[in-house]
Amino acid sequence: MNPELIEEITRLVVEKLQSQPSSLVSTTEAAKSANRGVKFWNHTSSSSNCHVDSSLPIEMLESSVVDSEQALVKFRKHNDMKQSNPVISQATMQQKEKKPVKSGEKITGVRNPVNKEELEILMSKTPSRIGIGRAGLRPRTDTWLKFRFDHAAAVDAVYGDVNDELLNRLDLFKVNTKVTDKEVYIRRPDYGRKLSDEAKKMIEQRCEKAPTVQVIVSDGLSSKAIDANLEDVYLSLQQSLRSAGLNMGTPFYIEKGRVAVMDDVGELLQPKVVILLIGERPGLISAESLSAYLCYEPRRGTIEAERMVVSNIHKGGIPPVEAGAYLGTVIQKVLKYEASGVSLVKKER
């Protein structure tokens, strides 16, 4: 039996007794009872410490006992229902507590905000975690669970693998960098910037030499970015380059690559432009964001200022199809000025 429930029932009984009309209890007796207070017994002890005031009328004692028994019966029925079917009971309580939410509506976690309209406008302008509210010193349960879900998605994106079916559908053969273990790849970025000896041999055997544009793909730090966006970006980019009459060379996929791996590719194939489609470092807003790095005639020793990037390619950022078409126009500009990065900005001016 629940001791807290018994104490609460006892308090209610005493309050009811003290609030009875003066015809049943005199003012003097009520005052004495109020000053005397309530004595509760030790529920875990075998000895009986229960105290009953014999001065109270028998009718009042009997009615209080009946009320207590009814409350206990209701509690036991409720508890038995929860134990017999806890899932249905919990779902029923949640449905009673929560109001229906309209499709696409963004719910604030702040209860009774000072300016509800302004808060809703701010929340509609950004996917960041604002207006999440709190429960005491801690985040609300829904907020915390959403955070844990997004964090797990980011970890899965880093440690996951790209779907081989997607690579086969796009006719991309696979090569590796100098690192094959994911833990080493994370700790040693320099290993991901160099192609393995086997990869160099395969690229020289299978790829066209000196193409105008060389397209390469890598999982980087998000395999989910490749799975979710690569096909749309790649096909749109391919169509854009063909419309401009530009030779694409032989595209391929580099597993566990970093951005500067394009320098090794530039040394081997001598293309005019290298474009690398690579998974971005995942965040708590999106774990599927793709970046496209471009460089004019990349070689060993190329500095980062000579590279340029179009980032945030995903369904919540730059739409993949639009990004592919836009990259085609950027490549044409790079070829026109024979420069990329800071050098391209200077020549355009």
Side-chain angles (χ1 to χ4, degrees):
M1 187 174 296
N2 191 335
E4 295 180 358
L5 178 63
I6 295 176
E7 290 184 7
E8 183 65 24
I9 293 174
T10 306
R11 288 192 183 93
L12 294 174
V13 170
V14 172
E15 291 175 0
K16 183 176 180 181
L17 293 177
Q18 292 176 354
S19 64
Q20 292 295 324
S22 58
S23 60
L24 294 178
V25 182
S26 66
T27 306
T28 306
E29 288 296 329
K32 289 181 180 179
S33 177
N35 293 331
R36 183 166 56 248
V38 181
K39 182 177 180 182
F40 300 104
W41 67 92
N42 185 357
H43 308 286
T44 60
S45 174
S46 59
S47 61
S48 177
N49 296 324
C50 181
H51 174 73
V52 179
D53 191 350
S54 59
S55 63
L56 296 176
I58 188 64
E59 295 86 355
M60 295 173 62
L61 292 175
E62 289 177 351
S63 64
S64 64
V65 170
V66 171
D67 292 341
S68 301
E69 290 179 351
Q70 291 177 350
L72 289 173
V73 169
K74 290 181 179 180
F75 171 76
R76 286 170 180 166
K77 288 182 178 179
H78 176 70
N79 199 34
D80 292 342
M81 182 183 67
K82 287 178 65 178
Q83 291 179 356
S84 63
N85 200 342
V87 176
I88 296 177
S89 178
Q90 184 177 7
T92 303
M93 289 189 294
Q94 289 178 350
Q95 289 176 358
K96 291 180 180 179
E97 292 176 359
K98 293 186 177 181
K99 296 180 180 180
V101 179
K102 297 179 181 179
S103 178
E105 183 181 0
K106 202 170 184 180
I107 302 302
T108 171
V110 180
R111 293 180 177 176
N112 303 320
V114 176
N115 192 330
K116 183 178 179 181
E117 292 75 15
E118 186 66 24
L119 179 58
E120 290 176 349
I121 292 173
L122 290 174
M123 293 178 65
S124 66
K125 300 296 183 182
T126 176
S128 301
R129 284 173 164 78
I130 62 173
I132 58 176
R134 61 186 176 89
L137 299 177
R138 297 169 292 178
R140 298 176 66 81
T141 301
D142 291 345
T143 301
W144 178 245
L145 292 176
K146 180 66 166 58
F147 173 85
R148 294 294 301 270
F149 175 84
D150 291 339
H151 182 268
V155 173
D156 289 344
V158 173
Y159 284 90
D161 295 318
V162 173
N163 190 350
D164 288 334
E165 182 182 347
L166 172 64
L167 301 179
N168 294 333
R169 189 162 63 245
L170 298 178
D171 196 23
L172 302 174
F173 67 91
K174 183 190 298 186
V175 297
N176 292 313
T177 56
K178 287 185 176 294
V179 55
T180 55
D181 182 76
K182 185 67 75 171
E183 293 294 337
V184 176
Y185 170 76
I186 294 172
R187 294 195 303 267
R188 295 294 303 269
D190 54 317
Y191 284 7
R193 299 176 186 134
K194 301 294 181 182
L195 293 168
S196 65
D197 295 336
E198 295 80 4
K200 291 179 181 179
K201 292 179 181 178
M202 185 178 295
I203 291 171
E204 289 179 340
Q205 292 174 359
R206 301 186 62 171
C207 291
E208 178 184 344
K209 302 298 188 297
T212 305
V213 180
Q214 177 61 54
V215 180
I216 54 178
V217 180
S218 180
D219 51 355
L221 288 169
S222 177
S223 58
K224 286 187 176 181
I226 302 300
D227 288 338
N229 305 299
L230 176 61
E231 188 166 13
D232 288 339
V233 175
Y234 177 79
L235 295 177
S236 178
L237 173 62
Q238 187 180 55
Q239 182 178 359
S240 178
L241 294 177
R242 285 177 178 172
S243 299
L246 299 177
N247 178 19
M248 279 186 63
T250 310
F252 58 93
Y253 171 75
I254 303 175
E255 191 172 35
K256 299 180 181 65
R258 298 280 184 171
V259 173
V261 74
M262 61 169 55
D263 298 347
D264 268 10
V265 175
E267 289 283 352
L268 289 173
L269 301 179
Q270 302 290 312
K272 287 291 183 182
V273 179
V274 171
I275 176 169
L276 169 63
L277 304 176
I278 188 170
E280 293 179 6
R281 181 180 287 104
L284 295 175
I285 298 298
S286 174
E288 300 179 350
S289 188
L290 184 75
S291 285
Y293 284 85
L294 302 96
C295 190
Y296 181 76
E297 294 185 348
R299 303 291 186 268
R300 292 192 185 97
T302 297
I303 61 175
E304 296 304 312
E306 299 303 312
R307 308 186 204 280
M308 53 198 307
V309 61
V310 176
S311 61
N312 204 35
I313 303 172
H314 60 96
K315 61 183 180 181
I318 303 174
V321 175
E322 292 183 17
Y326 174 70
L327 289 170
T329 62
V330 175
I331 290 173
Q332 294 179 57
K333 185 185 297 185
V334 170
L335 291 170
K336 175 183 177 181
Y337 290 97
E338 297 184 342
S340 58
V342 175
S343 300
L344 176 61
V345 175
K346 291 179 179 178
K347 288 188 175 183
E348 280 186 306
R349 290 177 180 173

mmCIF file of all heavy atoms in Angstrom, residues 33-63:
data_model
loop_
_atom_site.group_PDB
_atom_site.id
_atom_site.type_symbol
_atom_site.label_atom_id
_atom_site.label_comp_id
_atom_site.label_asym_id
_atom_site.label_seq_id
_atom_site.Cartn_x
_atom_site.Cartn_y
_atom_site.Cartn_z
ATOM 1 N N SER A 33 -8.752 20.124 18.651
ATOM 2 C CA SER A 33 -8.308 19.204 17.603
ATOM 3 C C SER A 33 -7.296 19.854 16.676
ATOM 4 O O SER A 33 -6.324 19.232 16.249
ATOM 5 C CB SER A 33 -9.520 18.729 16.794
ATOM 6 O OG SER A 33 -9.106 17.902 15.737
ATOM 7 N N ALA A 34 -7.536 21.151 16.320
ATOM 8 C CA ALA A 34 -6.603 21.859 15.437
ATOM 9 C C ALA A 34 -5.253 22.039 16.093
ATOM 10 O O ALA A 34 -4.207 21.910 15.466
ATOM 11 C CB ALA A 34 -7.188 23.219 15.045
ATOM 12 N N ASN A 35 -5.267 22.377 17.423
ATOM 13 C CA ASN A 35 -3.991 22.579 18.129
ATOM 14 C C ASN A 35 -3.250 21.263 18.320
ATOM 15 O O ASN A 35 -2.023 21.222 18.353
ATOM 16 C CB ASN A 35 -4.239 23.238 19.491
ATOM 17 C CG ASN A 35 -4.763 24.664 19.350
ATOM 18 O OD1 ASN A 35 -4.453 25.323 18.365
ATOM 19 N ND2 ASN A 35 -5.573 25.130 20.319
ATOM 20 N N ARG A 36 -4.043 20.203 18.510
ATOM 21 C CA ARG A 36 -3.414 18.909 18.770
ATOM 22 C C ARG A 36 -2.727 18.376 17.517
ATOM 23 O O ARG A 36 -1.727 17.679 17.593
ATOM 24 C CB ARG A 36 -4.484 17.940 19.258
ATOM 25 C CG ARG A 36 -3.920 16.576 19.640
ATOM 26 C CD ARG A 36 -4.943 15.763 20.438
ATOM 27 N NE ARG A 36 -6.184 15.619 19.720
ATOM 28 C CZ ARG A 36 -7.333 16.172 20.084
ATOM 29 N NH1 ARG A 36 -7.397 16.941 21.168
ATOM 30 N NH2 ARG A 36 -8.441 15.992 19.386
ATOM 31 N N GLY A 37 -3.227 18.724 16.323
ATOM 32 C CA GLY A 37 -2.620 18.255 15.088
ATOM 33 C C GLY A 37 -2.990 16.818 14.784
ATOM 34 O O GLY A 37 -3.875 16.228 15.402
ATOM 35 N N VAL A 38 -2.289 16.232 13.852
ATOM 36 C CA VAL A 38 -2.565 14.868 13.399
ATOM 37 C C VAL A 38 -1.369 13.996 13.685
ATOM 38 O O VAL A 38 -0.236 14.353 13.355
ATOM 39 C CB VAL A 38 -2.867 14.849 11.877
ATOM 40 C CG1 VAL A 38 -3.187 13.431 11.435
ATOM 41 C CG2 VAL A 38 -4.030 15.771 11.568
ATOM 42 N N LYS A 39 -1.596 12.872 14.250
ATOM 43 C CA LYS A 39 -0.519 11.925 14.524
ATOM 44 C C LYS A 39 -0.614 10.773 13.533
ATOM 45 O O LYS A 39 -1.644 10.094 13.467
ATOM 46 C CB LYS A 39 -0.619 11.402 15.950
ATOM 47 C CG LYS A 39 0.498 10.441 16.317
ATOM 48 C CD LYS A 39 0.410 10.011 17.757
ATOM 49 C CE LYS A 39 1.539 9.056 18.106
ATOM 50 N NZ LYS A 39 1.455 8.588 19.501
ATOM 51 N N PHE A 40 0.458 10.566 12.757
ATOM 52 C CA PHE A 40 0.482 9.484 11.769
ATOM 53 C C PHE A 40 1.306 8.329 12.310
ATOM 54 O O PHE A 40 2.316 8.527 12.982
ATOM 55 C CB PHE A 40 1.081 9.987 10.445
ATOM 56 C CG PHE A 40 0.315 11.121 9.849
ATOM 57 C CD1 PHE A 40 0.786 12.411 9.937
ATOM 58 C CD2 PHE A 40 -0.900 10.913 9.220
ATOM 59 C CE1 PHE A 40 0.090 13.469 9.393
ATOM 60 C CE2 PHE A 40 -1.608 11.961 8.684
ATOM 61 C CZ PHE A 40 -1.114 13.252 8.782
ATOM 62 N N TRP A 41 0.887 7.139 11.963
ATOM 63 C CA TRP A 41 1.595 5.966 12.455
ATOM 64 C C TRP A 41 2.644 5.496 11.467
ATOM 65 O O TRP A 41 2.614 5.824 10.295
ATOM 66 C CB TRP A 41 0.610 4.851 12.780
ATOM 67 C CG TRP A 41 -0.092 4.273 11.579
ATOM 68 C CD1 TRP A 41 0.277 3.230 10.840
ATOM 69 C CD2 TRP A 41 -1.323 4.751 11.016
ATOM 70 N NE1 TRP A 41 -0.614 3.000 9.830
ATOM 71 C CE2 TRP A 41 -1.619 3.926 9.910
ATOM 72 C CE3 TRP A 41 -2.214 5.790 11.334
ATOM 73 C CZ2 TRP A 41 -2.742 4.103 9.133
ATOM 74 C CZ3 TRP A 41 -3.325 5.961 10.555
ATOM 75 C CH2 TRP A 41 -3.583 5.125 9.474
ATOM 76 N N ASN A 42 3.577 4.731 11.958
ATOM 77 C CA ASN A 42 4.638 4.155 11.137
ATOM 78 C C ASN A 42 4.083 2.956 10.396
ATOM 79 O O ASN A 42 3.786 1.927 11.006
ATOM 80 C CB ASN A 42 5.820 3.768 12.025
ATOM 81 C CG ASN A 42 7.005 3.283 11.206
ATOM 82 O OD1 ASN A 42 6.921 3.186 9.998
ATOM 83 N ND2 ASN A 42 8.095 3.006 11.886
ATOM 84 N N HIS A 43 3.940 3.089 9.080
ATOM 85 C CA HIS A 43 3.296 2.014 8.296
ATOM 86 C C HIS A 43 4.158 0.764 8.213
ATOM 87 O O HIS A 43 3.656 -0.313 7.927
ATOM 88 C CB HIS A 43 2.994 2.535 6.882
ATOM 89 C CG HIS A 43 2.233 3.812 6.883
ATOM 90 N ND1 HIS A 43 0.899 3.878 7.197
ATOM 91 C CD2 HIS A 43 2.626 5.095 6.634
ATOM 92 C CE1 HIS A 43 0.477 5.139 7.128
ATOM 93 N NE2 HIS A 43 1.516 5.896 6.804
ATOM 94 N N THR A 44 5.465 0.924 8.385
ATOM 95 C CA THR A 44 6.365 -0.232 8.263
ATOM 96 C C THR A 44 6.586 -0.948 9.579
ATOM 97 O O THR A 44 7.246 -1.983 9.629
ATOM 98 C CB THR A 44 7.720 0.229 7.728
ATOM 99 O OG1 THR A 44 8.283 1.185 8.633
ATOM 100 C CG2 THR A 44 7.561 0.879 6.361
ATOM 101 N N SER A 45 6.048 -0.380 10.683
ATOM 102 C CA SER A 45 6.262 -0.982 12.003
ATOM 103 C C SER A 45 5.152 -1.963 12.317
ATOM 104 O O SER A 45 4.000 -1.783 11.947
ATOM 105 C CB SER A 45 6.321 0.117 13.077
ATOM 106 O OG SER A 45 6.390 -0.449 14.357
ATOM 107 N N SER A 46 5.512 -3.027 13.039
ATOM 108 C CA SER A 46 4.512 -4.023 13.411
ATOM 109 C C SER A 46 3.670 -3.572 14.588
ATOM 110 O O SER A 46 2.556 -4.034 14.788
ATOM 111 C CB SER A 46 5.206 -5.350 13.754
ATOM 112 O OG SER A 46 6.127 -5.138 14.824
ATOM 113 N N SER A 47 4.226 -2.656 15.386
ATOM 114 C CA SER A 47 3.477 -2.157 16.535
ATOM 115 C C SER A 47 2.421 -1.171 16.083
ATOM 116 O O SER A 47 2.602 -0.449 15.113
ATOM 117 C CB SER A 47 4.423 -1.486 17.533
ATOM 118 O OG SER A 47 5.060 -0.385 16.917
ATOM 119 N N SER A 48 1.316 -1.121 16.814
ATOM 120 C CA SER A 48 0.211 -0.237 16.448
ATOM 121 C C SER A 48 0.394 1.097 17.142
ATOM 122 O O SER A 48 0.308 1.184 18.366
ATOM 123 C CB SER A 48 -1.122 -0.876 16.841
ATOM 124 O OG SER A 48 -2.171 -0.015 16.561
ATOM 125 N N ASN A 49 0.654 2.167 16.357
ATOM 126 C CA ASN A 49 0.808 3.506 16.886
ATOM 127 C C ASN A 49 -0.341 4.410 16.477
ATOM 128 O O ASN A 49 -0.247 5.621 16.563
ATOM 129 C CB ASN A 49 2.127 4.123 16.385
ATOM 130 C CG ASN A 49 3.324 3.360 16.914
ATOM 131 O OD1 ASN A 49 3.291 2.899 18.031
ATOM 132 N ND2 ASN A 49 4.352 3.249 16.089
ATOM 133 N N CYS A 50 -1.414 3.811 15.986
ATOM 134 C CA CYS A 50 -2.536 4.594 15.485
ATOM 135 C C CYS A 50 -3.263 5.251 16.645
ATOM 136 O O CYS A 50 -3.541 4.605 17.656
ATOM 137 C CB CYS A 50 -3.491 3.694 14.684
ATOM 138 S SG CYS A 50 -4.891 4.591 14.008
ATOM 139 N N HIS A 51 -3.574 6.513 16.509
ATOM 140 C CA HIS A 51 -4.262 7.259 17.561
ATOM 141 C C HIS A 51 -5.629 7.685 17.051
ATOM 142 O O HIS A 51 -5.742 8.283 15.984
ATOM 143 C CB HIS A 51 -3.443 8.509 17.924
ATOM 144 C CG HIS A 51 -4.159 9.406 18.897
ATOM 145 N ND1 HIS A 51 -4.317 9.097 20.222
ATOM 146 C CD2 HIS A 51 -4.784 10.600 18.699
ATOM 147 C CE1 HIS A 51 -4.968 10.070 20.822
ATOM 148 N NE2 HIS A 51 -5.276 11.000 19.912
ATOM 149 N N VAL A 52 -6.663 7.357 17.815
ATOM 150 C CA VAL A 52 -8.031 7.719 17.458
ATOM 151 C C VAL A 52 -8.601 8.586 18.564
ATOM 152 O O VAL A 52 -8.493 8.249 19.748
ATOM 153 C CB VAL A 52 -8.912 6.475 17.251
ATOM 154 C CG1 VAL A 52 -10.344 6.876 16.905
ATOM 155 C CG2 VAL A 52 -8.320 5.589 16.184
ATOM 156 N N ASP A 53 -9.179 9.693 18.184
ATOM 157 C CA ASP A 53 -9.781 10.605 19.152
ATOM 158 C C ASP A 53 -11.181 10.103 19.486
ATOM 159 O O ASP A 53 -12.104 10.198 18.680
ATOM 160 C CB ASP A 53 -9.838 12.013 18.556
ATOM 161 C CG ASP A 53 -10.209 13.046 19.631
ATOM 162 O OD1 ASP A 53 -10.585 12.629 20.726
ATOM 163 O OD2 ASP A 53 -10.114 14.259 19.301
ATOM 164 N N SER A 54 -11.334 9.550 20.697
ATOM 165 C CA SER A 54 -12.622 8.967 21.097
ATOM 166 C C SER A 54 -13.675 10.015 21.394
ATOM 167 O O SER A 54 -14.846 9.692 21.558
ATOM 168 C CB SER A 54 -12.421 8.084 22.322
ATOM 169 O OG SER A 54 -11.877 8.859 23.388
ATOM 170 N N SER A 55 -13.232 11.289 21.501
ATOM 171 C CA SER A 55 -14.192 12.339 21.814
ATOM 172 C C SER A 55 -15.044 12.722 20.616
ATOM 173 O O SER A 55 -16.043 13.407 20.752
ATOM 174 C CB SER A 55 -13.466 13.581 22.337
ATOM 175 O OG SER A 55 -12.611 14.104 21.350
ATOM 176 N N LEU A 56 -14.638 12.311 19.404
ATOM 177 C CA LEU A 56 -15.397 12.651 18.211
ATOM 178 C C LEU A 56 -16.652 11.792 18.121
ATOM 179 O O LEU A 56 -16.639 10.616 18.517
ATOM 180 C CB LEU A 56 -14.540 12.452 16.973
ATOM 181 C CG LEU A 56 -13.315 13.349 16.870
ATOM 182 C CD1 LEU A 56 -12.512 12.962 15.650
ATOM 183 C CD2 LEU A 56 -13.722 14.818 16.804
ATOM 184 N N PRO A 57 -17.733 12.333 17.556
ATOM 185 C CA PRO A 57 -18.981 11.551 17.416
ATOM 186 C C PRO A 57 -18.757 10.323 16.547
ATOM 187 O O PRO A 57 -17.980 10.341 15.597
ATOM 188 C CB PRO A 57 -19.933 12.546 16.734
ATOM 189 C CG PRO A 57 -19.365 13.896 17.022
ATOM 190 C CD PRO A 57 -17.906 13.715 17.116
ATOM 191 N N ILE A 58 -19.437 9.261 16.849
ATOM 192 C CA ILE A 58 -19.281 7.993 16.134
ATOM 193 C C ILE A 58 -19.706 8.119 14.679
ATOM 194 O O ILE A 58 -19.163 7.456 13.794
ATOM 195 C CB ILE A 58 -20.094 6.877 16.855
ATOM 196 C CG1 ILE A 58 -19.773 5.511 16.240
ATOM 197 C CG2 ILE A 58 -21.593 7.198 16.787
ATOM 198 C CD1 ILE A 58 -18.347 5.099 16.439
ATOM 199 N N GLU A 59 -20.717 9.019 14.393
ATOM 200 C CA GLU A 59 -21.153 9.178 13.008
ATOM 201 C C GLU A 59 -20.039 9.735 12.142
ATOM 202 O O GLU A 59 -19.852 9.334 10.988
ATOM 203 C CB GLU A 59 -22.377 10.116 12.950
ATOM 204 C CG GLU A 59 -23.627 9.566 13.628
ATOM 205 C CD GLU A 59 -23.632 9.892 15.121
ATOM 206 O OE1 GLU A 59 -22.617 10.446 15.603
ATOM 207 O OE2 GLU A 59 -24.637 9.591 15.784
ATOM 208 N N MET A 60 -19.240 10.679 12.678
ATOM 209 C CA MET A 60 -18.160 11.288 11.922
ATOM 210 C C MET A 60 -17.050 10.276 11.661
ATOM 211 O O MET A 60 -16.463 10.226 10.587
ATOM 212 C CB MET A 60 -17.602 12.496 12.667
ATOM 213 C CG MET A 60 -18.595 13.638 12.804
ATOM 214 S SD MET A 60 -17.983 14.953 13.854
ATOM 215 C CE MET A 60 -16.554 15.428 12.920
ATOM 216 N N LEU A 61 -16.715 9.470 12.623
ATOM 217 C CA LEU A 61 -15.679 8.456 12.446
ATOM 218 C C LEU A 61 -16.087 7.445 11.382
ATOM 219 O O LEU A 61 -15.290 7.030 10.543
ATOM 220 C CB LEU A 61 -15.402 7.753 13.776
ATOM 221 C CG LEU A 61 -14.735 8.597 14.868
ATOM 222 C CD1 LEU A 61 -14.631 7.795 16.172
ATOM 223 C CD2 LEU A 61 -13.351 9.042 14.432
ATOM 224 N N GLU A 62 -17.383 7.022 11.443
ATOM 225 C CA GLU A 62 -17.839 6.037 10.461
ATOM 226 C C GLU A 62 -17.803 6.614 9.041
ATOM 227 O O GLU A 62 -17.376 5.948 8.097
ATOM 228 C CB GLU A 62 -19.261 5.604 10.818
ATOM 229 C CG GLU A 62 -19.320 4.734 12.074
ATOM 230 C CD GLU A 62 -20.755 4.393 12.434
ATOM 231 O OE1 GLU A 62 -21.671 4.970 11.805
ATOM 232 O OE2 GLU A 62 -20.946 3.556 13.331
ATOM 233 N N SER A 63 -18.227 7.890 8.887
ATOM 234 C CA SER A 63 -18.222 8.490 7.543
ATOM 235 C C SER A 63 -16.803 8.666 7.017
ATOM 236 O O SER A 63 -16.538 8.487 5.829
ATOM 237 C CB SER A 63 -18.931 9.843 7.565
ATOM 238 O OG SER A 63 -18.217 10.748 8.399
#
